[in-house]
Amino acid sequence: MRLSRMTDYGVVVLCQMALAPQGAVYTASQLARQTGLPLPSVSKLLKLLAARGILRAQRGAAGGYGLARPAESISARDIVFALEGPVELTDCVEGRGGACERERSCSLRGHWNPVNQAIEEALSRVTLLEMAVPRAPYDFIRGVDVGKFRSEGV
Amino acid sequence: MRLSRMTDYGVVVLCQMALAPQGAVYTASQLARQTGLPLPSVSKLLKLLAARGILRAQRGAAGGYGLARPAESISARDIVFALEGPVELTDCVEGRGGACERERSCSLRGHWNPVNQAIEEALSRVTLLEMAVPRAPYDFIRGVDVGKFRSEGV
DNA sequence: ATAAATAGGACCAATTTGGTACTAATTGAG
DNA sequence: CTCAATTAGTACCAAATTGGTCCTATTTAT
């Protein structure tokens, strides 16, 4: 049970952006360099995130990408949704017309829904800012004050 | 964000078995016929579930598969674990030696863990019995008494 | 004008996945 | 004891998905 590598990349890239002051823009190549990820994939990723409203894109020379909202109001759920679509653990999800021809008679219909919802909730509770705050190697630092950290611009 | 089709099949097959009295055995072909799923896949599935201890296998003539434990003590987490391995949303999960060469310096390390755990919890809360209880088409029946339903052997 | 950047496709190679096929081992029944 | 039914195990194949590449168009600051 895994997320695609693209989603993983997405979080890495977004974390990088989350640590800059609001309004800063990064180019695709900057982000690829800083994260060590392959440029073409990062580029594709950024286009997608911009199309889904997570990022704001500025075209043209001196353009780039920036967060469309503050990092604390972007959740893991937003990112997963943007890059993988809705959480539907199986083909059989209620409220999708015609996916399964047995829908009308199927007695299993909808049984995964509570699990889907619980997972969405879990993803919603984690914000990008929380994911972006660096942890010291091997957890030497504990109880970091997120707000303080952020204002220091580290 | 999805489970593999095999896991989906697994739940369908297990639900079928959950509705029989404890100790009943089904052959692979019976289950394939009853569920309408392809026999070879069902067969492979059952072997796996038996190897992982979810099912108990009886070899030889008049053999077959039965639940190793009552349906109410098998969780969705057990099934997902058996068929897909541990919930690790990304490559970067703490406590897996050597998966990522940047582990020592990585500041993102472990940030998915809370999400992984929340998902495991969500899966653990749903039992096979709950998934197996038939729902009337379009939710005409509500508030089924699971225990009562079960003892009637429907 | 030009250069730097995003937008949007088409395309390809590698991996994963679902499905198939075959042989071996086990066991109940006649 | 023999046979037929059944699971166990393995190797393999085809199709789908995925990550990655490449090229062309569009936008925009200088």
Side-chain angles (χ1 to χ4, degrees):
Chain A
M1 184 166 182
R2 317 197 35 148
L3 298 171
S4 77
R5 187 182 299 182
M6 276 298 174
T7 307
D8 201 355
Y9 286 0
V11 170
V12 173
V13 167
L14 286 169
C15 283
Q16 188 77 33
M17 302 178 76
L19 296 181
Q22 262 284 322
V25 298
Y26 289 89
T27 68
S29 10
Q30 275 175 1
L31 289 168
R33 201 172 340 107
Q34 290 173 5
T35 58
L37 301 175
L39 170 58
S41 295
V42 169
S43 188
K44 180 182 287 189
L45 199 63
L46 293 167
K47 291 173 197 170
L48 241 179
L49 289 170
R52 300 299 159 80
I54 308 267
L55 296 178
R56 180 182 50 67
Q58 176 62 40
R59 298 174 69 158
Y65 295 93
L67 296 184
R69 295 174 270 148
E72 54 266 42
S73 66
I74 297 175
S75 68
R77 176 186 171 283
D78 295 333
I79 301 169
V80 171
F81 254 58
L83 298 176
E84 314 211 345
V87 173
E88 298 180 341
L89 294 185
T90 65
D91 281 327
C92 186
V93 173
E94 282 186 350
R96 292 203 321 185
C100 173
E101 74 283 354
R102 300 181 210 175
E103 186 168 13
R104 298 183 144 265
S105 62
C106 178
S107 62
L108 288 176
R109 178 180 43 81
H111 278 296
W112 281 104
N113 291 8
V115 181
N116 287 340
Q117 284 168 18
I119 290 177
E120 278 200 42
E121 268 180 47
L123 291 172
S124 296
R125 277 197 295 270
V126 179
T127 73
L128 176 59
L129 184 55
E130 284 158 10
M131 291 200 275
V133 173
R135 309 166 96 196
Y138 297 97
D139 266 351
F140 272 17
I141 294 180
R142 298 202 181 266
V144 173
D145 178 334
V146 168
K148 177 160 176 295
F149 171 81
R150 189 115 192 286
S151 64
E152 282 167 353
V154 179
Chain B
M1 183 166 182
R2 317 199 34 148
L3 298 171
S4 78
R5 189 183 298 183
M6 276 299 173
T7 307
D8 201 355
Y9 286 0
V11 170
V12 172
V13 167
L14 287 169
C15 282
Q16 188 77 32
M17 302 178 76
L19 297 181
Q22 263 285 321
V25 298
Y26 289 89
T27 69
S29 8
Q30 275 175 2
L31 289 167
R33 201 170 343 106
Q34 291 173 4
T35 58
L37 300 175
L39 170 59
S41 295
V42 169
S43 187
K44 181 183 288 190
L45 199 62
L46 293 168
K47 289 174 199 171
L48 241 179
L49 289 170
R52 302 298 160 82
I54 308 267
L55 296 179
R56 180 183 50 66
Q58 175 62 38
R59 296 174 70 156
Y65 296 94
L67 295 183
R69 295 174 269 148
E72 53 267 41
S73 66
I74 298 175
S75 68
R77 175 185 171 284
D78 295 331
I79 301 169
V80 171
F81 254 56
L83 298 176
E84 315 211 345
V87 172
E88 298 180 341
L89 294 184
T90 64
D91 281 326
C92 186
V93 173
E94 282 186 350
R96 292 201 321 184
C100 173
E101 75 283 355
R102 302 182 208 175
E103 187 168 13
R104 298 184 143 264
S105 62
C106 177
S107 61
L108 288 176
R109 179 180 41 81
H111 277 296
W112 280 105
N113 292 8
V115 181
N116 286 341
Q117 284 167 20
I119 289 176
E120 278 199 43
E121 268 181 46
L123 290 172
S124 296
R125 276 197 296 271
V126 179
T127 73
L128 176 58
L129 184 56
E130 284 158 11
M131 292 200 273
V133 173
R135 308 167 94 195
Y138 296 99
D139 265 352
F140 273 16
I141 294 181
R142 297 201 180 266
V144 173
D145 178 335
V146 168
K148 177 161 175 296
F149 170 81
R150 189 110 192 288
S151 64
E152 284 167 352
V154 180

